[in-house]
Amino acid sequence: ANLKAAIGWNDTEANPSLGQLDNPQPMASRGDLNTVLAKALQERPDLNAQRQRVGQQEETMRIAETERGIVYSLSFNYSFQITPDNLANQTLAFNARYPLFDGGRVKAQLNERRAAFNSAKESLAQAERDAKAEVEQAYVTFDQNKSRMDAAKLAVDAARLNYDAAVESQKLGASNLIDVLTAQVSLVTSETNYIEALYDTLISELRLKLATGQPIPGE
């Protein structure tokens, strides 16, 4: 039900077919935390979009600052008429415009655009803080799950050796069926723990990629 809701699948339709994962393995190295943070702040699309909005607000504010002062304009016009007489006309115009009185409209617009620019900058700064926290949390979670998976793999190997030894010992008459069953339960338990740790690691790896703006499967 959660999978159908996540992908927009109709409740009445059959479950979607899932692909088979052949020996899934997480990435070998996730890199240094500072490097990952710097790359995430540079490549995350949401942060880049906010930076574009900040730049747009800054440009709007600069236009308002320009309109508040003296605006100069220079234009040159040249025209030539062949018939019925050859006539040429040249015009050079220099204009200066300054708002002597506008009821405070230009000043109010400048204050409004400056406030919008400052608000966009603060929003970007907070978004970067949130992104850093999200990346660091995803990074630490992946690191913890990876360590748990490695430890679970060692436990599986040890439990398998113990089970093989118990079976061999029973064949030689040095142990009984209870010892074999106990070793088998330990092996199954360690295998279950390893599977859970493995897929928790794979999930946390995808969340780390999503937090850092990297492409994920299906994009």
Side-chain angles (χ1 to χ4, degrees):
N2 291 335
L3 176 61
K4 287 182 177 180
I7 62 179
W9 205 274
N10 196 314
D11 291 340
T12 59
E13 297 183 31
N15 291 329
S17 58
L18 302 180
Q20 184 69 28
L21 292 179
D22 297 328
N23 191 23
Q25 292 295 328
M27 57 184 173
S29 175
R30 72 269 190 260
D32 179 71
L33 176 58
N34 293 329
T35 303
V36 173
L37 283 172
K39 186 176 181 180
L41 293 179
Q42 181 181 2
E43 296 183 357
R44 277 184 56 143
D46 56 334
L47 297 181
N48 288 330
Q50 284 197 254
R51 292 187 185 101
Q52 293 291 334
R53 286 193 289 269
V54 171
Q56 182 181 10
Q57 293 290 349
E58 183 178 13
E59 186 64 25
T60 303
M61 183 187 66
R62 288 178 177 176
I63 293 175
E65 290 176 344
T66 302
E67 292 177 349
R68 186 182 180 185
I70 301 176
V71 179
Y72 302 98
S73 64
L74 179 66
S75 62
F76 175 75
N77 183 39
Y78 176 81
S79 62
F80 181 77
Q81 179 178 340
I82 299 178
T83 57
D85 298 319
N86 294 334
L87 299 175
N89 186 27
Q90 301 178 10
T91 303
L92 179 65
F94 176 79
N95 298 315
R97 177 173 58 86
Y98 182 78
L100 294 177
F101 180 75
D102 59 359
R105 179 183 62 85
V106 174
K107 183 178 180 181
Q109 287 180 347
L110 176 59
N111 292 335
E112 178 183 357
R113 293 174 183 179
R114 182 179 290 117
F117 171 65
N118 293 331
S119 175
K121 282 201 308 181
E122 293 299 326
S123 297
L124 174 60
Q126 184 59 44
E128 289 178 344
R129 296 188 194 100
D130 294 340
K132 287 181 180 179
E134 183 182 355
V135 171
E136 186 170 355
Q137 181 180 5
Y139 181 93
V140 172
T141 301
F142 172 76
D143 196 47
Q144 291 176 342
N145 288 332
K146 183 70 165 51
S147 298
R148 184 164 62 93
M149 184 196 72
D150 294 338
K153 182 64 171 61
L154 295 176
V156 170
D157 295 339
R160 183 171 289 110
L161 289 175
N162 183 53
Y163 173 73
D164 294 339
V167 171
E168 193 65 26
S169 178
Q170 184 193 25
K171 292 179 181 179
L172 298 175
S175 61
N176 54 34
L177 181 60
I178 299 299
D179 296 329
V180 175
L181 292 178
T182 302
Q184 186 177 21
V185 170
S186 298
L187 175 59
V188 172
T189 301
S190 60
E191 288 176 339
T192 302
N193 293 335
Y194 171 70
I195 292 173
E196 292 178 353
L198 170 62
Y199 281 92
D200 286 345
T201 304
L202 293 173
I203 293 172
S204 62
E205 178 185 354
L206 291 177
R207 288 174 177 167
L208 178 60
K209 288 184 176 181
L210 183 63
T212 53
Q214 300 179 46
I216 60 177
E219 284 191 322

